[in-house]
Amino acid sequence: MGNDAIRGDTAPEDSITIVNNASGAKVTFPVLQGSCGPKVIDIRRLYGATDMFTYDPGFTATGSCESSITFIDGEAGVLLHRGYPIEDLAKHSDFMEVCYLLLYGELPTPSEKDTFVHAITYHTMVHEQLHKFIDGFRRDAHPMAIMCGIVGALSAFYHDSTDISDPYQRMVASYRMIAKMPTIAAWAFKYSLGQPFIYPRNDLTYAENFIHMMFATPCEDYEISPTIARALDRILILHADHEQNASTSTVRLAGSSGANPFACIAAGIASLWGPAHGGANEAVLNMLNEIGSPNRIAEFVDKAKDPEDPFRLMGFGHRVYKNFDPRARLMRESCHEVLNELGVDNEPLLELAMELERIALEDEYFVERRLYPNVDFYSGIIFKAIGIPVSMFTVLFAVARTVGWVAQWNEMVEDPNQKIGRPRQLYTGYEQRPYVPLAERG
Ligand code: SDX
C-alpha cells in the first residue's frame, strides 16, 4: 500500500482507521514500522482526506523525518549511534571515529580513519580575514553570539562549498564545519580575554588542539594534560548527536529551504543557545552556585515544584528520556574520574549536584513526572574542572554537536521524500473583518 489514505472498510493490518464522530466518515492511514522504536501513522494524506490538520505543539508525538543515524529509547534510557550503544562508544571509541560513524554509517577501517582524521586536521585553520571579522564584536560579547555571527558568515569565505546539490561540496562543507568549530570557539574565548589567537596544530588530536588553542599562549610551551584531553574527547562523543532535538530540527528546517550549510549550522547554534536546550549546562552551573550549600537544596527543589514559579531544576527532565539519560550517567562517572585524576578531592559543586540529584530522585514531584538528570546536569562540573569557563559551556556543546547537525543535514538533503518544512496551525485569531479608516477609530 502506498501512502494513500484509504476510505471505507478495506483496512489492512498495517493501518489505522480514524472515525469522524460528527459525520461517521472513516479514513484509514498506513502504519509504518522502522527497524526499532514506535510505529508511525503516515498522515501525509490527512488534510486531503479530512480537510483537517493535526495539532501537536512542540511536536511531542510527531515524527518529522525518516532517519538512520541515532535511535533513542526514552523509556529504557537507551541511545544508539548507527546501532552502537553510547556506553560502548564512550568507552572504546574516540570523537573522530564517532564523527566518521555518524557521517558514513559504519565504523572506519584503520586506513579510512587515518584518511578522515588527516582531512579534518588539515581543515582546522580558518580564513585569516576572520581576525578582522571577530574584531567587530565587543570584548564582553557572549561567545555563543560570536559563534552565531561567525559561523553564519562562513559562506562568505567558503562560497566554493555551498552548492548543496553537489555531494562533493556537501562533504567539503561538512568537513570544514567539523574542523573549524574548535578554532572559532577557541578564538571567541581568546578574544574575550584580549589574548592572541592560537593557531591549530597538525600534530595534535582534535581534543588536544581545542585545549591548546583555548589555553596556550605564544609566550611559552603549553603542556596538554592527557587526562583533560581524554575527558574532553569523551564529552565530545556524549554530545555528538541526539536524534531530532530542537537544534537539529532547526538545522533540518533551515536546510529544507535549500539554505547553505553554514547558515543552517548557525541556525542550529542559535537554537542550542536556549536554556531549555544546550544552554542548560551553563544554567546548571549558575544554579549550583546560587544554591551554594546543601542546606539550601530543599528551598530550590520547592521552587522547581511550584507551578507559580517559572524556575526549573536545570539539568533535570527531558522530552524523550523518562528514565536516566545514559549520557548523564557516563558524565557522572567522568566527573569522578577527572576530579580524582586532577587531584581535586572534594569539588563542592559535585557534592552539591549529587545531593541535589539524590533529593530530587526521592521527591514525588520528580518521580511522578519521571524527571531525571540529563546530559547537562554533570557536564558543567567537568568543564569547570578542566578549566572551561562557564560562558564557554554551550559553545563546547555546539562544537561537539556540529557533526550531528551536518550528518542529519546531509541525510535530509539526500532524502528523496524531503520537502521544504512548512507546518500549519490552529488559527484562533479574528475572522475576516472590514478595514476601519483612521478617522473613524477610537
Ligand atoms: C538538552 O531534545 C534533546 O535531545 C535535547 C538534548 C540533546 O542532546 O540535544 O538532550 C539536550 O536540551 C537536554 C535538556 C536540557 N534542559 C534542561 O535541563 C532545562 C530543564 N528542563 C526542562 O526545561 C524540561 O525538562 C525540558 C525542556 C528538557 C523538557 O520539557 P518538556 O518535555 O516540554 O516537558 P514539560 O515542560 O512538558 O514538563 C512536564 C512536567 C511539567 O509539569 P506539569 O505541567 O506536568 O505539572 O514536568 C515539569 C513541568 O513543569 N518539569 C520540570 C522540569 N522539567 C519538566 N519541573 C521542574 N524542573 C524541571 N527541570
Side-chain angles (χ1 to χ4, degrees):
M1 171 174 63
N3 53 37
D4 294 315
I6 307 159
R7 290 177 178 70
D9 296 328
T10 54
E13 269 195 23
D14 53 351
S15 68
I16 192 164
T17 298
I18 296 177
V19 179
N20 181 330
N21 292 320
S23 66
K26 286 183 181 179
V27 185
T28 299
F29 298 94
V31 168
L32 309 177
Q33 170 67 64
S35 43
C36 42
K39 294 181 179 180
V40 298
I41 304 170
D42 183 343
I43 58 162
R44 284 175 284 186
R45 295 285 179 267
L46 174 75
Y47 183 58
T50 67
D51 288 331
M52 286 190 241
F53 299 141
T54 59
Y55 180 62
D56 184 15
F59 309 122
T60 57
T62 294
S64 62
C65 63
E66 181 178 328
S67 180
S68 59
I69 298 173
T70 291
F71 174 72
I72 301 172
D73 180 336
E75 298 300 325
V78 168
L79 168 58
L80 307 178
H81 289 317
R82 303 285 192 180
Y84 295 100
I86 190 66
E87 293 82 357
D88 290 353
L89 295 172
K91 190 173 177 186
H92 304 299
S93 188
D94 61 43
F95 184 61
M96 282 289 96
E97 189 171 86
V98 171
C99 287
Y100 185 97
L101 174 67
L102 290 169
L103 286 170
Y104 296 106
E106 299 294 341
L107 290 169
T109 62
S111 66
E112 287 169 337
K113 182 172 181 179
D114 289 346
T115 304
F116 179 72
V117 171
H118 184 275
I120 296 293
T121 302
Y122 281 78
H123 276 80
T124 48
M125 277 182 60
V126 295
H127 194 291
E128 192 63 9
Q129 217 167 304
L130 278 171
H131 270 254
K132 297 186 175 59
F133 190 96
I134 203 170
D135 282 344
F137 290 95
R138 284 169 49 126
R139 290 282 179 180
D140 62 353
H142 193 290
M144 281 298 279
I146 296 177
M147 297 300 290
C148 287
I150 290 195
V151 172
L154 288 183
S155 62
F157 292 89
Y158 301 108
H159 199 71
D160 61 341
S161 60
T162 54
D163 175 359
I164 66 167
S165 65
D166 178 351
Y168 177 77
Q169 289 197 33
R170 289 205 304 273
M171 179 272 293
V172 170
S174 301
Y175 282 31
R176 278 172 165 163
M177 280 309 334
I178 295 166
K180 297 179 193 306
M181 281 291 274
T183 309
I184 297 168
W187 284 17
F189 176 56
K190 285 300 193 186
Y191 183 72
S192 72
L193 299 178
Q195 286 188 0
F197 298 140
I198 300 296
Y199 285 85
R201 279 180 25 191
N202 296 336
D203 61 328
L204 299 178
T205 68
Y206 192 89
E208 290 170 344
N209 234 335
F210 183 68
I211 293 164
H212 186 259
M213 290 187 286
M214 280 281 289
F215 301 117
T217 67
C219 317
E220 59 189 13
D221 288 343
Y222 178 83
E223 192 177 332
I224 299 166
S225 152
T227 299
I228 291 178
R230 195 168 53 251
L232 179 60
D233 192 84
R234 176 185 259 206
I235 289 168
L236 293 169
I237 291 173
L238 296 178
H239 288 80
D241 188 53
H242 211 238
E243 199 211 68
Q244 304 311 320
N245 58 83
S247 54
T248 297
S249 299
T250 300
V251 170
R252 278 178 170 262
L253 193 56
S256 73
S257 74
N260 75 71
F262 305 106
C264 294
I265 300 305
I269 295 171
S271 171
L272 186 74
W273 195 0
H277 189 15
N281 55 20
E282 181 177 346
V284 167
L285 243 287
N286 294 335
M287 175 186 74
L288 291 174
N289 284 322
E290 192 182 351
I291 293 174
S293 69
N295 57 28
R296 291 197 64 201
I297 287 177
E299 172 194 337
F300 281 80
V301 168
D302 289 341
K303 272 172 66 72
K305 291 158 60 176
D306 178 357
E308 301 309 313
D309 190 326
F311 172 77
R312 288 194 163 182
L313 216 49
M314 301 317 282
F316 256 78
H318 200 277
R319 171 62 57 76
V320 176
Y321 289 121
K322 299 309 171 190
N323 194 324
F324 236 93
D325 179 337
R327 302 167 299 172
R329 195 176 274 121
L330 289 163
M331 204 67 83
R332 185 176 56 190
E333 280 172 25
S334 282
C335 265
H336 290 295
E337 286 166 20
V338 169
L339 292 174
N340 291 341
E341 286 184 30
L342 291 178
V344 179
D345 294 335
N346 60 335
E347 163 56 71
L349 287 177
L350 178 57
E351 308 289 325
L352 191 59
M354 289 174 63
E355 180 60 8
L356 174 57
E357 174 191 326
R358 185 188 66 77
I359 292 172
L361 293 185
E362 291 174 356
D363 186 295
E364 188 48 38
Y365 173 92
F366 293 89
V367 172
E368 191 182 284
R369 291 165 177 80
R370 299 199 288 173
L371 303 175
Y372 291 87
N374 58 51
V375 68
D376 293 307
F377 188 64
Y378 285 102
S379 55
I381 295 165
I382 303 183
F383 291 161
K384 177 175 177 290
I386 63 178
I388 307 279
V390 177
S391 64
M392 287 292 291
F393 286 7
T394 310
V395 173
L396 209 146
F397 195 153
V399 168
R401 186 51 58 88
T402 296
V403 61
W405 289 332
V406 295
Q408 300 267 355
W409 171 77
N410 276 295
E411 185 179 63
M412 182 270 304
V413 173
E414 293 158 8
D415 182 346
N417 291 319
Q418 189 265 331
K419 290 173 174 289
I420 187 168
R422 207 298 188 190
R424 302 306 302 273
Q425 62 181 10
L426 172 65
Y427 177 68
T428 55
Y430 284 106
E431 295 183 59
Q432 185 170 329
R433 54 181 175 156
Y435 179 79
V436 180
L438 182 60
E440 296 172 23
R441 293 178 220 150

